[in-house]
């Protein structure tokens, strides 16, 4: 699967690949629990750090943003710095360990988790009375962690978000007796329709074209982490049953045989080549397809993601050890207020605002009557209930293990339950290294 976006710079930040940057154990200080005086006069200066956003496209936006804030608050100054896409977790780690974390900092949930465990991020729930009404709940949930204050704190304002929409090739589906206006809504319905397509095409056409992942496990209702959020516990019977269904579908030929090897081109690529009839992508995938395969666009039909949609999110956090907390908090709120989020996302098609008030904006709540407009509205609605499935302690190495074990199960080398047991045991082992 691929999340599509026309913005290369912002896509670097949105990939959220930097799981577990490991900046140490929780600090003994209570910096995170500080209460910032909301009536304090704003003065002095702070540093604001973004991730791979200082370029020709975004620099004018941030220049104006800072100028507007300073005009509203004379006597203040904002020093904007930007870090390159590569090595960001390492850079943040260095900033934390050297006591130089910027006052206001752009962090995805996984890096924010590592920093929050050290006590270096301000608990926004204790300081922003309108937090749960002014920002979307799905985005806020991504910045609360079970292993930090039992999930009772929050460490990030949702800033720009993404989710997946399902896209169907209506011509392929019609040829094989399926109706794209009545697409699958759940995984089980997907398998049922994949069988119909397989049988009616003599095994030549595919609806399914990927192996399961962490999100599929979570969509069974399985909690990926233990109740305290410190270890993995997703080797459940429900997860095993889901993997068994994938294995049966694979053996029956409902998906390409190479989905488990290195020649697999990916779900989106196969959809673009019209070799499969379903993929997922961001809300602007139809616009992106105009470049990849314009002849396919008239046949693309969007629908909500299967079961619960995944959430991708970037946020703005406040350093708890800032020397100017009133200014830092005020500026973080300013960056992520509705007007500024909506203006920012005009430069980033396919992403969605984390401000609750955006629900009243016709750009997100009402289609313009085009298929692309329908997809955009579906994406926004999906985002409201989407879930950041990837635990903050999950790493690329763990994901490799999961993929390897899933491949073993789907090729009959071990049972689904054994594959999940092995993954959980090895992933938990990596946590202690």
């Amino acid at each position: 699967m691929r999340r599509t976006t026309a913005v290369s710079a912002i896509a670097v930040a949105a990939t959220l690949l930097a799981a577990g940057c490991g900046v140490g154990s929780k600090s003994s200080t209570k910096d995170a629990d500080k209460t910032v005086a909301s009536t304090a006069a704003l003065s002095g200066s702070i540093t604001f750090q973004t991730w791979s956003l200082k370029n020709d496209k975004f620099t004018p936006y941030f220049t104006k943003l800072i100028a507007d804030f300073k005009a509203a608050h004379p006597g203040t100054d904002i020093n904007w710095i930007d870090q390159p896409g590569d090595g960001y977790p390492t850079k943040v780690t260095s900033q934390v360990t050297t006591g130089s974390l910027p006052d206001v900092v752009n962090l995805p949930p996984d890096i924010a988790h590592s920093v929050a465990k050290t006590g270096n991020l301000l608990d926004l729930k204790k300081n922003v009375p309108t937090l749960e009404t002014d920002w979307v709940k799905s985005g806020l949930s991504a910045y609360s962690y079970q292993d930090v204050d039992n999930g009772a704190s929050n460490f990030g304002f949702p800033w720009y978000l993404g989710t997946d929409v399902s896209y169907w090739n209506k011509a392929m589906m019609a040829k094989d007796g399926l109706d794209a206006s009545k697409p699958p809504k759940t995984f089980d319905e997907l398998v049922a329709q994949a069988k119909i397509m397989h049988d009616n095409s003599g095994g030549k056409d595919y609806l399914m074209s990927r192996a399961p992942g962490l999100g599929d496990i979570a969509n069974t209702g399985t909690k990926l982490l233990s109740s305290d959020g410190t270890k993995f516990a997703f080797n459940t019977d429900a997860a095993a049953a889901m993997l068994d269904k994938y294995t049966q579908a694979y053996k029956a030929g409902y998906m390409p045989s190479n989905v488990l090897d290195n020649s697999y081109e990916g779900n989106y690529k196969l959809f673009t080549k019209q070799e499969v009839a379903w993929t997922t992508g961001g809300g602007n995938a139809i616009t992106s397809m105009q470049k990849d395969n314009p002849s396919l666009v008239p046949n693309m039909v969007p629908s909500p993601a299967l079961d619960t949609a995944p959430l991708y999110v970037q946020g703005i956090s406040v350093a708890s050890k800032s020397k100017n907390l009133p200014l830092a908090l005020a500026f973080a709120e300013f960056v992520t207020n509705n007007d500024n989020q909506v203006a920012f996302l005009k430069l980033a098609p396919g992403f969605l605002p984390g401000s609750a008030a955006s629900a009243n904006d016709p750009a997100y709540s009402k289609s313009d009557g085009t298929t692309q407009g329908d997809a955009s509205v579906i994406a926004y609605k999906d985002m409201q209930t989407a879930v950041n499935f990837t635990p903050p302690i999950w790493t690329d190495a763990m994901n490799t293990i999961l993929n390897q074990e899933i491949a073993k199960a789907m090729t009959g080398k071990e049972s689904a339950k054994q594959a999940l047991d092995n993954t959980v045991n090895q992933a938990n082992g990596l946590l202690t290294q």
Side-chain angles (χ1 to χ4, degrees), residues 250-329:
Y250 177 70
K251 290 181 178 179
Y254 300 166
M255 61 185 82
S257 60
N258 68 342
V259 297
L260 301 176
D261 62 44
N262 292 332
S263 65
Y264 174 57
E265 295 181 279
N267 178 264
Y268 184 86
K269 182 68 173 180
L270 295 178
F271 182 83
T272 303
K273 295 167 68 175
Q274 301 194 66
E275 294 181 9
V276 302
W278 169 64
T279 191
T280 59
N284 70 323
I286 293 175
T287 298
S288 297
M289 190 61 74
Q290 291 282 3
K291 300 178 181 179
D292 297 332
N293 184 358
S295 66
L296 175 57
V297 171
N299 281 317
M300 290 178 68
V301 176
S303 74
L306 300 183
D307 299 301
T308 300
L311 180 72
Y312 314 110
V313 55
Q314 284 284 339
I316 296 293
S317 299
V318 176
S320 63
K321 296 181 180 179
S322 167
K323 302 301 183 183
N324 195 340
L325 275 172
L327 180 58
L329 183 59

Side-chain angles (χ1 to χ4, degrees), residues 133-136 337-339 342 353-361 364 380:
T133 56
D134 288 355
W135 286 267
V136 295
N337 71 28
N338 183 65
D339 289 345
V342 169
S355 52
S358 59
N360 300 317
D361 187 336
Y364 300 103
Y380 188 80

Side-chain angles (χ1 to χ4, degrees), residues 34-369:
K34 289 177 180 176
T35 300
V36 182
S38 59
T39 58
L42 300 183
S43 62
S45 63
I46 58 168
T47 297
F48 167 48
Q49 176 171 288
T50 54
W51 182 9
S52 192
L53 292 175
K54 184 172 282 191
N55 50 50
D56 292 343
K57 179 178 286 292
F58 293 107
T59 293
Y61 168 82
F62 286 109
T63 300
K64 182 180 184 303
L65 178 80
I66 292 169
D68 288 347
F69 183 85
K70 291 170 64 175
H73 303 284
T76 64
D77 191 36
I78 311 297
N79 174 34
W80 174 37
I81 62 174
D82 186 77
Q83 300 297 337
D86 293 338
Y88 193 57
T90 302
K91 180 63 179 180
V92 173
T93 297
S94 174
Q95 290 172 330
V96 171
T97 56
T98 59
S100 59
L101 187 69
D103 304 89
V104 178
V105 57
N106 168 198
L107 298 174
D110 49 0
I111 303 180
H113 169 257
S114 294
V115 181
K117 289 189 71 174
T118 69
N120 276 276
L121 292 184
L122 185 71
D123 180 4
L124 302 179
K125 192 172 288 188
K126 290 183 174 66
N127 288 284
V128 184
T130 61
L131 186 68
E132 295 183 353
T133 56
D134 288 355
W135 286 267
V136 295
K137 289 180 172 55
S138 59
L140 290 172
S141 295
Y143 288 91
S144 293
Y145 313 107
Q146 284 303 117
D147 60 344
V148 183
D149 196 25
N150 295 315
S153 300
N154 184 278
F155 300 100
F157 292 108
W159 187 20
Y160 59 93
L161 297 77
T163 188
D164 282 345
V165 172
S166 285
Y167 292 95
W168 312 90
N169 184 321
K170 66 180 180 181
M172 283 185 68
M173 293 179 75
K175 179 170 68 75
D176 294 323
L178 296 174
D179 186 352
S181 68
K182 300 176 182 178
K185 297 179 181 179
T186 66
F187 167 63
D188 286 340
E189 291 178 9
L190 175 69
V191 175
Q193 291 201 26
K195 180 182 187 305
I196 294 173
M197 175 166 278
H198 171 271
D199 293 349
N200 288 349
S201 69
K204 295 180 180 178
D205 296 336
Y206 302 101
L207 196 61
M208 301 173 65
S209 61
R210 65 170 179 83
L214 210 58
D216 297 279
I217 294 173
N219 260 324
T220 67
T222 294
K223 293 186 181 301
L224 301 180
L225 297 174
S226 58
S227 59
D228 62 1
T230 61
K231 62 182 180 180
F232 300 103
F234 54 79
N235 49 336
T236 66
D237 290 341
M242 176 276 299
L243 182 50
D244 278 334
K245 290 177 182 178
Y246 259 102
T247 299
Q248 292 160 11
Y250 177 70
K251 290 181 178 179
Y254 300 166
M255 61 185 82
S257 60
N258 68 342
V259 297
L260 301 176
D261 62 44
N262 292 332
S263 65
Y264 174 57
E265 295 181 279
N267 178 264
Y268 184 86
K269 182 68 173 180
L270 295 178
F271 182 83
T272 303
K273 295 167 68 175
Q274 301 194 66
E275 294 181 9
V276 302
W278 169 64
T279 191
T280 59
N284 70 323
I286 293 175
T287 298
S288 297
M289 190 61 74
Q290 291 282 3
K291 300 178 181 179
D292 297 332
N293 184 358
S295 66
L296 175 57
V297 171
N299 281 317
M300 290 178 68
V301 176
S303 74
L306 300 183
D307 299 301
T308 300
L311 180 72
Y312 314 110
V313 55
Q314 284 284 339
I316 296 293
S317 299
V318 176
S320 63
K321 296 181 180 179
S322 167
K323 302 301 183 183
N324 195 340
L325 275 172
L327 180 58
L329 183 59
F331 184 70
E333 291 188 66
F334 181 75
V335 172
T336 58
N337 71 28
N338 183 65
D339 289 345
N340 288 325
Q341 288 211 34
V342 169
F344 177 61
L345 292 178
K346 287 179 179 178
L347 303 174
F351 288 92
L352 302 163
S355 52
S358 59
N360 300 317
D361 187 336
Y364 300 103
S365 61
K366 185 177 180 179
S367 173
D368 61 6

